[in-house]
Amino acid sequence: LENDLNAKISAAPDERALEDIRIAALGKKGVVSEKMKTLGKMSPEERQIAGPALNGLKNRIAEAIAKRKDVLEEAALARQLEAERVDVTLPVRAPGRGRLHPLTKVFNEVAEIFAAMGFEVREGPDIEDDFHNFTALNFPPEHPAREIHDTFFFPPREDGEKMVLRTHTSPVQVRTMMTEKPPIRIIAPGRTFRCDSDQTHTPMFHQVEGLVIDKSTHMGHLKGTLEAFCREFFGVKELETRFRPHFFPFTEPSAEMDVRYERDGAVVKIGQGDKWMEILGSGMVHPNVLKACGLDPDEYQGFAFGMGIDRLAMLKYGIPDLRGFFSGDQRWIEHYGFAP
Ligand code: PHE
């Protein structure tokens, strides 16, 4: 019997066949188990001889099965490894690489240029209250100036304060002045919102705000800083600029800054040419704004500016339509995006 079982065990082709053999030998009704049952009917003397012999048989068979099982498992593993073999010498297929959105690129460029001039980055919430977006910035209550911003309104807050999607990044000026002590030198990039939509306007767009507050900051600093920024940003040595008087409630005097440009086919060249392009709004921070933020206008003064980042990205990288920026079209980002 033992030889017969051993022969079957070593011939078992796989683990299932081996399990069948195990049940047939050692299972409840297996041949070995049936023999064990006969022990009960034997005389004590017979049992003393047959017991250890049968137990030995049972143990040897169990061991033989376990050994065969190891061998079969190893063989199965080897077969699997062979089947799933990876040829590491095959040339790799290049993985698809993400690209930087032109806006991210421009944000980074702007932040780097201003960082070199000692500016830090501050951020504020997209959902603002009326105080930070308008009142502290010297917009008179119920003044039509609030309307020119085409504001998206929310239902009022519990305390009655009107809530809006911020129409510009200027509220970050207010938040910074209210929480930090001058000297202040910050830029504040972020999303801004106005109900407007055509080829050059989207309801969501992006600005970078700038704010400098110190004891003797003046208009010359404003012009020098912004001209230095533009030369760096557009990569031109010679850059003619023009500051045109303008009106913002939160700056006095206020000016829009234009740069010279010319069109060379589809390409816009900044710095030279016979045309002027407006690129940002700026001015000296209005004394009422300083006061609203807890700063003494007799001690401190400064300048602020705000520019449309989407516009700058279009200009610098020759992107014709603003709406592509937010379409989420993979082909657009493949075309206009940048390698990280
Ligand atoms: N907040 C102004 C706008 O959105 C831009 C600006 C910022 C003007 C700071 C002056 C100073 O048009």
Side-chain angles (χ1 to χ4, degrees), residues 240-263:
E240 207 185 328
T241 61
R242 174 172 85 173
F243 285 79
R244 260 180 309 103
H246 196 73
F247 173 79
F248 299 106
F250 36 94
T251 46
E252 183 59 37
S254 305
E256 281 189 327
M257 179 176 152
D258 300 343
V259 291
R260 284 266 191 209
Y261 80 100
E262 66 189 353
R263 227 169 248 287

PDB file of all heavy atoms in Angstrom, residues 240-263:
ATOM      1  N   GLU A 240       9.740 101.520 -24.237  1.00  0.00           N
ATOM      2  CA  GLU A 240       9.154 102.825 -24.003  1.00  0.00           C
ATOM      3  C   GLU A 240       7.783 102.640 -23.356  1.00  0.00           C
ATOM      4  O   GLU A 240       6.963 101.851 -23.848  1.00  0.00           O
ATOM      5  CB  GLU A 240       9.017 103.594 -25.328  1.00  0.00           C
ATOM      6  CG  GLU A 240       9.044 105.100 -25.115  1.00  0.00           C
ATOM      7  CD  GLU A 240       8.791 105.859 -26.412  1.00  0.00           C
ATOM      8  OE1 GLU A 240       9.181 105.348 -27.478  1.00  0.00           O
ATOM      9  OE2 GLU A 240       8.195 106.944 -26.350  1.00  0.00           O
ATOM     10  N   THR A 241       7.559 103.341 -22.271  1.00  0.00           N
ATOM     11  CA  THR A 241       6.268 103.233 -21.588  1.00  0.00           C
ATOM     12  C   THR A 241       5.600 104.596 -21.524  1.00  0.00           C
ATOM     13  O   THR A 241       6.230 105.632 -21.721  1.00  0.00           O
ATOM     14  CB  THR A 241       6.443 102.728 -20.146  1.00  0.00           C
ATOM     15  OG1 THR A 241       7.247 103.667 -19.432  1.00  0.00           O
ATOM     16  CG2 THR A 241       7.087 101.360 -20.098  1.00  0.00           C
ATOM     17  N   ARG A 242       4.330 104.569 -21.226  1.00  0.00           N
ATOM     18  CA  ARG A 242       3.574 105.816 -21.112  1.00  0.00           C
ATOM     19  C   ARG A 242       2.607 105.645 -19.955  1.00  0.00           C
ATOM     20  O   ARG A 242       1.944 104.605 -19.844  1.00  0.00           O
ATOM     21  CB  ARG A 242       2.825 106.024 -22.420  1.00  0.00           C
ATOM     22  CG  ARG A 242       1.866 107.189 -22.431  1.00  0.00           C
ATOM     23  CD  ARG A 242       1.341 107.403 -23.825  1.00  0.00           C
ATOM     24  NE  ARG A 242       0.183 106.537 -24.105  1.00  0.00           N
ATOM     25  CZ  ARG A 242      -0.562 106.623 -25.205  1.00  0.00           C
ATOM     26  NH1 ARG A 242      -0.261 107.484 -26.159  1.00  0.00           N
ATOM     27  NH2 ARG A 242      -1.594 105.821 -25.378  1.00  0.00           N
ATOM     28  N   PHE A 243       2.569 106.601 -19.057  1.00  0.00           N
ATOM     29  CA  PHE A 243       1.608 106.561 -17.951  1.00  0.00           C
ATOM     30  C   PHE A 243       0.508 107.574 -18.246  1.00  0.00           C
ATOM     31  O   PHE A 243       0.772 108.771 -18.337  1.00  0.00           O
ATOM     32  CB  PHE A 243       2.295 106.868 -16.618  1.00  0.00           C
ATOM     33  CG  PHE A 243       3.116 105.702 -16.119  1.00  0.00           C
ATOM     34  CD1 PHE A 243       4.370 105.437 -16.646  1.00  0.00           C
ATOM     35  CD2 PHE A 243       2.613 104.853 -15.147  1.00  0.00           C
ATOM     36  CE1 PHE A 243       5.113 104.352 -16.217  1.00  0.00           C
ATOM     37  CE2 PHE A 243       3.341 103.765 -14.701  1.00  0.00           C
ATOM     38  CZ  PHE A 243       4.609 103.508 -15.244  1.00  0.00           C
ATOM     39  N   ARG A 244      -0.697 107.063 -18.426  1.00  0.00           N
ATOM     40  CA  ARG A 244      -1.858 107.919 -18.727  1.00  0.00           C
ATOM     41  C   ARG A 244      -2.693 108.098 -17.483  1.00  0.00           C
ATOM     42  O   ARG A 244      -3.004 107.120 -16.795  1.00  0.00           O
ATOM     43  CB  ARG A 244      -2.736 107.241 -19.772  1.00  0.00           C
ATOM     44  CG  ARG A 244      -2.573 107.726 -21.179  1.00  0.00           C
ATOM     45  CD  ARG A 244      -3.503 106.974 -22.115  1.00  0.00           C
ATOM     46  NE  ARG A 244      -3.394 105.529 -21.963  1.00  0.00           N
ATOM     47  CZ  ARG A 244      -4.286 104.795 -21.309  1.00  0.00           C
ATOM     48  NH1 ARG A 244      -5.347 105.342 -20.732  1.00  0.00           N
ATOM     49  NH2 ARG A 244      -4.119 103.485 -21.217  1.00  0.00           N
ATOM     50  N   PRO A 245      -3.075 109.367 -17.178  1.00  0.00           N
ATOM     51  CA  PRO A 245      -3.932 109.568 -16.005  1.00  0.00           C
ATOM     52  C   PRO A 245      -5.212 108.745 -16.134  1.00  0.00           C
ATOM     53  O   PRO A 245      -5.732 108.556 -17.225  1.00  0.00           O
ATOM     54  CB  PRO A 245      -4.267 111.062 -16.052  1.00  0.00           C
ATOM     55  CG  PRO A 245      -3.283 111.668 -16.961  1.00  0.00           C
ATOM     56  CD  PRO A 245      -2.801 110.597 -17.900  1.00  0.00           C
ATOM     57  N   HIS A 246      -5.671 108.226 -15.014  1.00  0.00           N
ATOM     58  CA  HIS A 246      -6.859 107.389 -15.041  1.00  0.00           C
ATOM     59  C   HIS A 246      -7.597 107.599 -13.726  1.00  0.00           C
ATOM     60  O   HIS A 246      -7.187 108.414 -12.901  1.00  0.00           O
ATOM     61  CB  HIS A 246      -6.450 105.921 -15.206  1.00  0.00           C
ATOM     62  CG  HIS A 246      -7.576 105.039 -15.628  1.00  0.00           C
ATOM     63  ND1 HIS A 246      -8.094 105.061 -16.891  1.00  0.00           N
ATOM     64  CD2 HIS A 246      -8.284 104.094 -14.952  1.00  0.00           C
ATOM     65  CE1 HIS A 246      -9.080 104.173 -16.977  1.00  0.00           C
ATOM     66  NE2 HIS A 246      -9.214 103.580 -15.811  1.00  0.00           N
ATOM     67  N   PHE A 247      -8.684 106.875 -13.512  1.00  0.00           N
ATOM     68  CA  PHE A 247      -9.345 106.960 -12.210  1.00  0.00           C
ATOM     69  C   PHE A 247      -9.575 105.585 -11.611  1.00  0.00           C
ATOM     70  O   PHE A 247     -10.103 104.682 -12.267  1.00  0.00           O
ATOM     71  CB  PHE A 247     -10.699 107.679 -12.314  1.00  0.00           C
ATOM     72  CG  PHE A 247     -11.456 107.625 -11.026  1.00  0.00           C
ATOM     73  CD1 PHE A 247     -11.127 108.490  -9.977  1.00  0.00           C
ATOM     74  CD2 PHE A 247     -12.458 106.680 -10.815  1.00  0.00           C
ATOM     75  CE1 PHE A 247     -11.794 108.418  -8.761  1.00  0.00           C
ATOM     76  CE2 PHE A 247     -13.125 106.597  -9.596  1.00  0.00           C
ATOM     77  CZ  PHE A 247     -12.797 107.469  -8.578  1.00  0.00           C
ATOM     78  N   PHE A 248      -9.124 105.393 -10.388  1.00  0.00           N
ATOM     79  CA  PHE A 248      -9.526 104.268  -9.549  1.00  0.00           C
ATOM     80  C   PHE A 248      -9.877 104.875  -8.198  1.00  0.00           C
ATOM     81  O   PHE A 248      -9.169 105.773  -7.735  1.00  0.00           O
ATOM     82  CB  PHE A 248      -8.393 103.248  -9.372  1.00  0.00           C
ATOM     83  CG  PHE A 248      -7.918 102.621 -10.648  1.00  0.00           C
ATOM     84  CD1 PHE A 248      -6.692 102.993 -11.197  1.00  0.00           C
ATOM     85  CD2 PHE A 248      -8.672 101.660 -11.307  1.00  0.00           C
ATOM     86  CE1 PHE A 248      -6.240 102.420 -12.384  1.00  0.00           C
ATOM     87  CE2 PHE A 248      -8.228 101.089 -12.496  1.00  0.00           C
ATOM     88  CZ  PHE A 248      -7.005 101.472 -13.038  1.00  0.00           C
ATOM     89  N   PRO A 249     -10.931 104.400  -7.545  1.00  0.00           N
ATOM     90  CA  PRO A 249     -11.302 104.994  -6.246  1.00  0.00           C
ATOM     91  C   PRO A 249     -10.201 104.815  -5.197  1.00  0.00           C
ATOM     92  O   PRO A 249     -10.082 105.620  -4.287  1.00  0.00           O
ATOM     93  CB  PRO A 249     -12.551 104.212  -5.839  1.00  0.00           C
ATOM     94  CG  PRO A 249     -13.030 103.511  -7.055  1.00  0.00           C
ATOM     95  CD  PRO A 249     -11.847 103.333  -7.953  1.00  0.00           C
ATOM     96  N   PHE A 250      -9.378 103.784  -5.347  1.00  0.00           N
ATOM     97  CA  PHE A 250      -8.424 103.434  -4.285  1.00  0.00           C
ATOM     98  C   PHE A 250      -7.027 103.958  -4.517  1.00  0.00           C
ATOM     99  O   PHE A 250      -6.128 103.685  -3.729  1.00  0.00           O
ATOM    100  CB  PHE A 250      -8.387 101.916  -4.097  1.00  0.00           C
ATOM    101  CG  PHE A 250      -8.540 101.149  -5.381  1.00  0.00           C
ATOM    102  CD1 PHE A 250      -7.428 100.731  -6.096  1.00  0.00           C
ATOM    103  CD2 PHE A 250      -9.807 100.865  -5.886  1.00  0.00           C
ATOM    104  CE1 PHE A 250      -7.575 100.034  -7.296  1.00  0.00           C
ATOM    105  CE2 PHE A 250      -9.957 100.167  -7.083  1.00  0.00           C
ATOM    106  CZ  PHE A 250      -8.850  99.760  -7.790  1.00  0.00           C
ATOM    107  N   THR A 251      -6.809 104.697  -5.640  1.00  0.00           N
ATOM    108  CA  THR A 251      -5.496 105.313  -5.836  1.00  0.00           C
ATOM    109  C   THR A 251      -5.669 106.766  -6.252  1.00  0.00           C
ATOM    110  O   THR A 251      -6.637 107.130  -6.900  1.00  0.00           O
ATOM    111  CB  THR A 251      -4.682 104.570  -6.928  1.00  0.00           C
ATOM    112  OG1 THR A 251      -5.527 104.343  -8.045  1.00  0.00           O
ATOM    113  CG2 THR A 251      -4.128 103.255  -6.402  1.00  0.00           C
ATOM    114  N   GLU A 252      -4.704 107.594  -5.858  1.00  0.00           N
ATOM    115  CA  GLU A 252      -4.733 109.027  -6.225  1.00  0.00           C
ATOM    116  C   GLU A 252      -3.328 109.586  -6.118  1.00  0.00           C
ATOM    117  O   GLU A 252      -2.774 109.596  -5.017  1.00  0.00           O
ATOM    118  CB  GLU A 252      -5.688 109.788  -5.307  1.00  0.00           C
ATOM    119  CG  GLU A 252      -5.828 111.249  -5.655  1.00  0.00           C
ATOM    120  CD  GLU A 252      -6.332 111.484  -7.090  1.00  0.00           C
ATOM    121  OE1 GLU A 252      -7.176 110.701  -7.562  1.00  0.00           O
ATOM    122  OE2 GLU A 252      -5.841 112.422  -7.721  1.00  0.00           O
ATOM    123  N   PRO A 253      -2.679 110.016  -7.187  1.00  0.00           N
ATOM    124  CA  PRO A 253      -3.186 109.911  -8.554  1.00  0.00           C
ATOM    125  C   PRO A 253      -3.177 108.469  -9.065  1.00  0.00           C
ATOM    126  O   PRO A 253      -2.501 107.634  -8.512  1.00  0.00           O
ATOM    127  CB  PRO A 253      -2.191 110.762  -9.346  1.00  0.00           C
ATOM    128  CG  PRO A 253      -0.930 110.709  -8.561  1.00  0.00           C
ATOM    129  CD  PRO A 253      -1.339 110.618  -7.124  1.00  0.00           C
ATOM    130  N   SER A 254      -3.950 108.240 -10.138  1.00  0.00           N
ATOM    131  CA  SER A 254      -4.002 106.915 -10.752  1.00  0.00           C
ATOM    132  C   SER A 254      -3.477 107.003 -12.181  1.00  0.00           C
ATOM    133  O   SER A 254      -3.583 108.062 -12.813  1.00  0.00           O
ATOM    134  CB  SER A 254      -5.435 106.408 -10.817  1.00  0.00           C
ATOM    135  OG  SER A 254      -6.033 106.414  -9.540  1.00  0.00           O
ATOM    136  N   ALA A 255      -2.923 105.923 -12.652  1.00  0.00           N
ATOM    137  CA  ALA A 255      -2.408 105.927 -14.021  1.00  0.00           C
ATOM    138  C   ALA A 255      -2.528 104.536 -14.631  1.00  0.00           C
ATOM    139  O   ALA A 255      -2.374 103.537 -13.940  1.00  0.00           O
ATOM    140  CB  ALA A 255      -0.950 106.358 -14.036  1.00  0.00           C
ATOM    141  N   GLU A 256      -2.821 104.517 -15.918  1.00  0.00           N
ATOM    142  CA  GLU A 256      -2.711 103.255 -16.644  1.00  0.00           C
ATOM    143  C   GLU A 256      -1.377 103.278 -17.371  1.00  0.00           C
ATOM    144  O   GLU A 256      -0.948 104.326 -17.855  1.00  0.00           O
ATOM    145  CB  GLU A 256      -3.864 103.092 -17.633  1.00  0.00           C
ATOM    146  CG  GLU A 256      -5.135 102.640 -16.935  1.00  0.00           C
ATOM    147  CD  GLU A 256      -6.246 102.255 -17.892  1.00  0.00           C
ATOM    148  OE1 GLU A 256      -6.355 102.858 -18.981  1.00  0.00           O
ATOM    149  OE2 GLU A 256      -7.025 101.362 -17.529  1.00  0.00           O
ATOM    150  N   MET A 257      -0.736 102.140 -17.414  1.00  0.00           N
ATOM    151  CA  MET A 257       0.561 102.080 -18.067  1.00  0.00           C
ATOM    152  C   MET A 257       0.433 101.413 -19.426  1.00  0.00           C
ATOM    153  O   MET A 257      -0.158 100.349 -19.553  1.00  0.00           O
ATOM    154  CB  MET A 257       1.538 101.289 -17.196  1.00  0.00           C
ATOM    155  CG  MET A 257       2.919 101.159 -17.797  1.00  0.00           C
ATOM    156  SD  MET A 257       3.991 100.302 -16.623  1.00  0.00           S
ATOM    157  CE  MET A 257       5.134  99.545 -17.745  1.00  0.00           C
ATOM    158  N   ASP A 258       0.973 102.086 -20.451  1.00  0.00           N
ATOM    159  CA  ASP A 258       0.970 101.537 -21.804  1.00  0.00           C
ATOM    160  C   ASP A 258       2.402 101.206 -22.206  1.00  0.00           C
ATOM    161  O   ASP A 258       3.345 101.855 -21.752  1.00  0.00           O
ATOM    162  CB  ASP A 258       0.446 102.582 -22.809  1.00  0.00           C
ATOM    163  CG  ASP A 258      -0.983 103.023 -22.502  1.00  0.00           C
ATOM    164  OD1 ASP A 258      -1.664 102.312 -21.734  1.00  0.00           O
ATOM    165  OD2 ASP A 258      -1.399 104.070 -23.024  1.00  0.00           O
ATOM    166  N   VAL A 259       2.543 100.206 -23.053  1.00  0.00           N
ATOM    167  CA  VAL A 259       3.856  99.924 -23.635  1.00  0.00           C
ATOM    168  C   VAL A 259       3.756 100.014 -25.157  1.00  0.00           C
ATOM    169  O   VAL A 259       2.704  99.755 -25.735  1.00  0.00           O
ATOM    170  CB  VAL A 259       4.386  98.522 -23.240  1.00  0.00           C
ATOM    171  CG1 VAL A 259       4.730  98.473 -21.764  1.00  0.00           C
ATOM    172  CG2 VAL A 259       3.380  97.425 -23.593  1.00  0.00           C
ATOM    173  N   ARG A 260       4.888 100.382 -25.776  1.00  0.00           N
ATOM    174  CA  ARG A 260       4.960 100.439 -27.236  1.00  0.00           C
ATOM    175  C   ARG A 260       4.877  99.031 -27.804  1.00  0.00           C
ATOM    176  O   ARG A 260       5.420  98.084 -27.230  1.00  0.00           O
ATOM    177  CB  ARG A 260       6.299 101.029 -27.655  1.00  0.00           C
ATOM    178  CG  ARG A 260       6.384 102.517 -27.492  1.00  0.00           C
ATOM    179  CD  ARG A 260       6.015 103.191 -28.793  1.00  0.00           C
ATOM    180  NE  ARG A 260       6.331 104.616 -28.727  1.00  0.00           N
ATOM    181  CZ  ARG A 260       5.643 105.526 -29.417  1.00  0.00           C
ATOM    182  NH1 ARG A 260       4.612 105.164 -30.159  1.00  0.00           N
ATOM    183  NH2 ARG A 260       5.978 106.792 -29.334  1.00  0.00           N
ATOM    184  N   TYR A 261       4.197  98.889 -28.919  1.00  0.00           N
ATOM    185  CA  TYR A 261       4.232  97.583 -29.586  1.00  0.00           C
ATOM    186  C   TYR A 261       3.992  97.741 -31.073  1.00  0.00           C
ATOM    187  O   TYR A 261       3.545  98.797 -31.544  1.00  0.00           O
ATOM    188  CB  TYR A 261       3.191  96.635 -28.979  1.00  0.00           C
ATOM    189  CG  TYR A 261       1.779  96.842 -29.473  1.00  0.00           C
ATOM    190  CD1 TYR A 261       1.252  96.006 -30.462  1.00  0.00           C
ATOM    191  CD2 TYR A 261       0.983  97.856 -28.965  1.00  0.00           C
ATOM    192  CE1 TYR A 261      -0.049  96.176 -30.913  1.00  0.00           C
ATOM    193  CE2 TYR A 261      -0.315  98.032 -29.408  1.00  0.00           C
ATOM    194  CZ  TYR A 261      -0.829  97.186 -30.384  1.00  0.00           C
ATOM    195  OH  TYR A 261      -2.101  97.367 -30.835  1.00  0.00           O
ATOM    196  N   GLU A 262       4.346  96.685 -31.805  1.00  0.00           N
ATOM    197  CA  GLU A 262       4.014  96.642 -33.234  1.00  0.00           C
ATOM    198  C   GLU A 262       3.652  95.222 -33.578  1.00  0.00           C
ATOM    199  O   GLU A 262       4.008  94.279 -32.877  1.00  0.00           O
ATOM    200  CB  GLU A 262       5.178  97.136 -34.094  1.00  0.00           C
ATOM    201  CG  GLU A 262       6.405  96.252 -34.039  1.00  0.00           C
ATOM    202  CD  GLU A 262       7.604  96.911 -34.735  1.00  0.00           C
ATOM    203  OE1 GLU A 262       7.425  97.969 -35.350  1.00  0.00           O
ATOM    204  OE2 GLU A 262       8.713  96.363 -34.636  1.00  0.00           O
ATOM    205  N   ARG A 263       2.888  95.108 -34.663  1.00  0.00           N
ATOM    206  CA  ARG A 263       2.438  93.803 -35.094  1.00  0.00           C
ATOM    207  C   ARG A 263       3.280  93.359 -36.266  1.00  0.00           C
ATOM    208  O   ARG A 263       3.451  94.090 -37.243  1.00  0.00           O
ATOM    209  CB  ARG A 263       0.975  93.903 -35.516  1.00  0.00           C
ATOM    210  CG  ARG A 263       0.114  92.819 -34.940  1.00  0.00           C
ATOM    211  CD  ARG A 263      -1.342  93.149 -35.197  1.00  0.00           C
ATOM    212  NE  ARG A 263      -2.035  93.448 -33.940  1.00  0.00           N
ATOM    213  CZ  ARG A 263      -2.361  92.534 -33.047  1.00  0.00           C
ATOM    214  NH1 ARG A 263      -2.046  91.275 -33.233  1.00  0.00           N
ATOM    215  NH2 ARG A 263      -2.988  92.881 -31.943  1.00  0.00           N
TER     216      ARG A 263
END
